Amino acid sequence: MNLEEVMASIINRLNPFWIIVFIFFTWASIEQLKYETSSKKGAREAMQTYYLGRFSIAVPALMKQKIRSSKLRYADIQEMEWPQSLNPEQARKAEWDRFMAEVKKLPPPDGKDRVIIKVHEFPAVGKWAKGIFYYNDSFDRHGARWSLLMDAGPVGLWLKTDDIVVEKEIEHSKTIPNYENIAKAFQPLDLHNLKGRQPGNRFYLEHGAINLPYAGQEESIARFEGHPLKLTLLIEMETDFTKEIETMSLIKGTRAMLAVALISPGGGISKIRLREREVAGMPGEEAVLRVREGQRKDLVFTWQFNGKDDSGEYPTTRIEMESPDGNLHEKLKIWDAVLDSMKPMFERKKS
């Protein structure tokens, strides 16, 4: 008996009702599969969660992180994975020697006989830590920069300041205790296996977190590229108590831009979305535009929240996604998935 005869024999024994049910659910499953993968709906996008500052956000897994920068309490923070070819002691020595060689190449400012102002060791920080205060600009005899390298085990951590006034730093020595607090609070983490909110006041980097509450200034920036739909995604969050909050709303600014575009030759902007939209508990605004310049057409997705004064819980936040025109429905689904995924990694204080 061949396969067809076996199947016919089985079907003859079945109740016609169950045959109809089987056929119906088989058809429904096929139609659902067609719908899930059709160009009308777009295939389901696999997402990967990243931890950025005090928030988490999911990004299409096909995209790769190309830029990552963080600032906390006016320290520019840079992580580095130690080379596998060296043990941590060798790796940190090689990195420190490389940096010192660059510093020693700098000419001192006029009236100064040396570049290095001070070298300071931090014995109570990490496995090893050392900092240097030096003139980084030969045309500025009043400004200098602190840089600290810490061995945190699996990663190294650089903390660097912007230019600071030498006389004030020598008199008050504010940077050394600030660096000690930041470095001591850093903990390497396996962020790929992190689940839910963690205890404390964590500010997330790429390879770990600093467990300190907000104090005056924070910044997190990440850029992602590499999607088959030629997407780029930029996420920026900043709080600085010395800066005034932007008062121009995204909606008003976009409306003004649309009005100008109507009378501008060679270009054009059309609105796809322009509305208020809450993301991660922050009442922001969203704009999705089609922008034409010459023969080129692009889709520009923007969400913006202007922030609250001196608040780490409500930072000034801007999320942008851009791509060439086309596949609008699929790109809107990715955009919505990104925005809907963003969550605070802390419990907000009740106002």
Side-chain angles (χ1 to χ4, degrees):
M1 185 178 291
N2 59 33
L3 182 60
E4 291 182 359
E5 291 172 334
V6 171
M7 291 298 298
S9 175
I10 293 173
I11 291 173
N12 289 333
R13 296 174 189 174
L14 289 175
N15 187 309
F17 171 80
W18 294 113
I19 294 175
I20 294 170
V21 170
F22 174 80
I23 293 172
F24 173 81
F25 280 104
T26 301
W27 171 82
S29 298
I30 292 171
E31 290 302 308
Q32 177 66 19
L33 180 60
K34 289 179 180 178
Y35 177 68
E36 293 290 349
T37 57
S38 69
S39 59
K40 292 182 179 179
K41 181 179 185 294
R44 290 176 179 173
E45 188 80 23
M47 307 290 280
Q48 179 176 337
T49 299
Y50 288 83
Y51 298 88
L52 189 65
R54 302 191 185 276
F55 294 80
S56 68
I57 191 166
V59 172
L62 294 171
M63 301 185 79
K64 302 302 179 185
Q65 184 175 265
K66 296 296 184 180
I67 295 174
R68 180 72 177 259
S69 69
S70 303
K71 287 186 177 181
L72 180 74
R73 301 185 178 190
Y74 299 101
D76 186 359
I77 305 168
Q78 301 169 12
E79 298 166 285
M80 58 180 300
E81 295 182 279
W82 298 128
Q84 294 184 354
S85 59
L86 301 174
N87 64 46
E89 291 79 8
Q90 293 172 325
R92 75 194 184 203
K93 183 179 184 304
E95 176 65 13
W96 180 258
D97 290 347
R98 179 200 63 78
F99 183 75
M100 289 298 292
E102 291 182 0
V103 170
K104 290 175 181 178
K105 292 177 184 177
L106 298 172
D110 290 341
K112 304 295 180 182
D113 58 359
R114 56 180 181 167
V115 171
I116 298 173
I117 302 169
K118 182 178 183 179
V119 175
H120 184 83
E121 294 191 1
F122 295 77
V125 172
K127 296 178 179 294
W128 174 94
K130 186 181 285 189
I132 178 174
F133 189 38
Y134 65 100
Y135 293 105
N136 62 299
D137 186 348
S138 61
F139 296 100
D140 185 1
R141 62 195 303 268
H142 299 291
R145 179 173 295 174
W146 266 106
S147 294
L148 173 144
L149 176 64
M150 179 181 77
D151 178 0
V155 296
L157 200 71
W158 274 109
L159 304 180
K160 299 180 180 182
T161 62
D162 292 331
D163 292 353
I164 52 180
V165 179
V166 175
E167 290 77 10
K168 289 185 178 180
E169 178 63 20
I170 292 174
E171 181 181 356
H172 301 291
S173 190
K174 291 184 176 181
T175 301
I176 289 177
N178 185 39
Y179 274 11
E180 285 181 335
N181 286 338
I182 294 172
K184 286 180 180 179
F186 175 76
Q187 179 186 4
L189 294 171
D190 180 6
L191 297 177
H192 294 293
N193 294 314
L194 200 65
K195 302 295 182 184
R197 291 175 181 166
Q198 303 297 302
N201 298 282
R202 298 182 183 225
F203 181 87
Y204 286 93
L205 309 176
E206 187 172 0
H207 301 289
I210 296 170
N211 192 7
L212 286 175
Y214 165 79
Q217 185 273 338
E218 293 179 355
E219 179 183 280
S220 298
I221 298 173
R223 180 180 173 88
F224 300 87
E225 300 174 1
H227 196 276
L229 294 176
K230 298 182 179 180
L231 306 175
T232 62
L233 180 66
L234 179 65
I235 304 162
E236 298 177 309
M237 293 183 284
E238 180 188 22
T239 298
D240 189 337
F241 83 100
T242 66
K243 297 180 180 180
E244 292 186 6
I245 294 292
E246 174 63 58
T247 57
M248 171 65 78
S249 76
L250 177 65
I251 290 176
K252 288 182 179 179
T254 302
R255 284 174 177 164
M257 187 168 58
L258 289 168
V260 171
L262 289 174
I263 57 174
S264 298
I269 303 174
S270 57
K271 179 185 70 173
I272 298 168
R273 283 184 187 172
L274 189 59
R275 63 185 185 180
E276 295 179 348
R277 180 168 184 175
E278 182 175 293
V279 171
M282 297 182 287
E285 297 175 331
E286 176 191 26
V288 180
L289 306 173
R290 180 176 282 109
V291 180
R292 178 174 58 84
E293 187 172 352
Q295 299 300 312
R296 180 185 176 91
K297 284 186 180 181
D298 292 314
L299 295 171
V300 180
F301 305 73
T302 307
W303 181 85
Q304 181 175 301
F305 171 63
N306 286 343
K308 292 185 178 181
D309 284 321
D310 199 18
S311 171
E313 296 186 355
Y314 293 92
T316 298
T317 305
R318 188 176 179 91
I319 303 174
E320 295 180 349
M321 189 174 84
E322 295 186 12
S323 76
D325 195 11
N327 302 99
L328 175 60
H329 187 77
E330 190 171 354
K331 291 171 183 177
L332 283 171
K333 287 183 65 62
I334 293 172
W335 172 248
D336 289 338
V338 170
L339 295 188
D340 291 342
S341 74
M342 189 172 182
K343 296 179 177 62
M345 294 300 290
F346 56 88
E347 192 74 34
R348 278 203 173 94
K349 302 180 184 71
K350 294 182 180 180
S351 56

